[in-house]
Amino acid sequence: MRVLGIESSCDESGVAIFDTVRGLLAHRLYSQIAMHRDYGGVVPELASRDHVRRIVPLIRDTLAAADCELTDLDGVAYTAGPGLAGALLVGAGIARGLAYTLEIPAVGVHHLEGHLLSPLLSREPPAFPFVALLVSGGHTQLMQVAGVGRYELLGETLDDAAGEAFDKTAQLLGLGYPGGPAISRLAQEGDTARYALPRPMLGSGDLNFSFSGLKTAVATLRRKHPEDAARADIAAAFQAAMCDILTAKSLDALRRTASRRLVVAGGVGANRQLRAALVAGCETLGAQVFFPEPELCTDNGAMIAYAGALRLREGENIAGFDVRPRWELDSLAAPRG
Ligand code: KG4
Ligand code: ZN
């Protein structure tokens, strides 16, 4: 089965073709980051309009790269939520239109399910069950994953998402958008030990997170040290605090669920310091940690094509056209055959 995947929930247009026998045939991405940079964040209406411009040419490119025709497709998957309503509607409209014309099924995929299953596209995929740490621009969750569509929420952020914390801290330090990669680069030149920042919720006795206090602490620190020379040290201190918190909670989730496998997904999972901390932490527990290929950490069409293929293969084909800007991941069910 050959499935075209379309991602358009935020500021990247992603298109991919996944074949259930041959694997990922091709994927293409157009990032709108440069367009939104002047505004310091994503402007929803500009995002929707740009998806309209980019997705069809991307589909052509991806088909050519996969050496496929439209008529070789057996199904279409698109991100149905969560995300920006207008941006989601563009992908959904194109996907549903294509599927209708080609007389093939279409399926709306949960964006976080895409992220969560993306490590299964790597060369050494994890087996079920596993604990997943989902860290993106909009979400921070620990999930117990028993299989496709079998997700149990273990803990989540009570305020800002991890990616949002990186983005807001980057803004406080006068760095560009998106903040994660910028902080990570600057932190390399910084001294982690120069400033002490809090680790909120570390001792909370549950698996929830809170990052807004950390952001306030960064703002206070920055006011005390407005000089340019302090920026790298603040970035390093912030990144160290984030890594400590995310690692400690992930290890706690492994212990509580007696799991031996941790899967990391979402844009913040691209952070090298975090990867190193999770690898070291898991080693102490005798657990294994799995990451998506770096290019599949942030938003992409491949994860949507893949998650969609798993659902379409089971015969899932929900008619109708809808997007869900807000959508709880643990409300999903296993594929309906
Ligand atoms: O998963 P993603 O691409 O989009 C969402 O679904 O939100 O995640 C984007 C988030 C942004 O907040 C960005 O700053 C963060 O992931 N991010 C990073 C890194 N690369 C992207 N955060 C820390 N370190 C990175 N290297
Ligand atoms: Zn995402």
Side-chain angles (χ1 to χ4, degrees), residues 111 115 136-138 163-164 166-167 178-181 184 266-268 270-271 297-299:
H111 181 81
H115 275 304
S136 71
E164 198 179 350
F166 269 95
D167 294 337
S184 164
V268 181
N271 188 280
C297 259
T298 45
D299 291 349

Side-chain angles (χ1 to χ4, degrees), residues 187 189-197 199 221-222 224-238 240:
E189 303 157 23
D191 174 3
T192 315
R194 173 96 183 270
Y195 302 116
L197 283 171
R199 269 77 173 143
L221 191 58
R222 181 68 181 142
K224 259 199 249 163
H225 303 279
E227 66 279 10
D228 255 8
R231 292 199 319 166
D233 295 336
I234 296 176
F238 166 77

Side-chain angles (χ1 to χ4, degrees), residues 95-107:
R96 287 277 168 192
L98 258 181
Y100 182 78
T101 318
L102 297 169
E103 298 183 355
I104 55 178
V107 66

Side-chain angles (χ1 to χ4, degrees), residues 86-159:
L88 291 167
L89 278 168
V90 176
I94 293 172
R96 287 277 168 192
L98 258 181
Y100 182 78
T101 318
L102 297 169
E103 298 183 355
I104 55 178
V107 66
V109 169
H110 194 296
H111 181 81
L112 293 181
E113 177 171 61
H115 275 304
L116 195 139
L117 299 177
S118 61
L120 298 176
L121 279 167
S122 59
R123 251 165 266 130
E124 285 174 46
F128 294 113
F130 53 75
V131 167
L133 171 68
L134 272 173
V135 271
S136 71
H139 294 83
T140 300
Q141 299 184 328
L142 277 161
M143 284 272 170
Q144 165 94 39
V145 180
V148 176
R150 298 171 60 201
Y151 312 129
E152 187 195 331
L153 184 67
L154 299 172
E156 66 183 332
T157 182
L158 305 179
D159 40 55

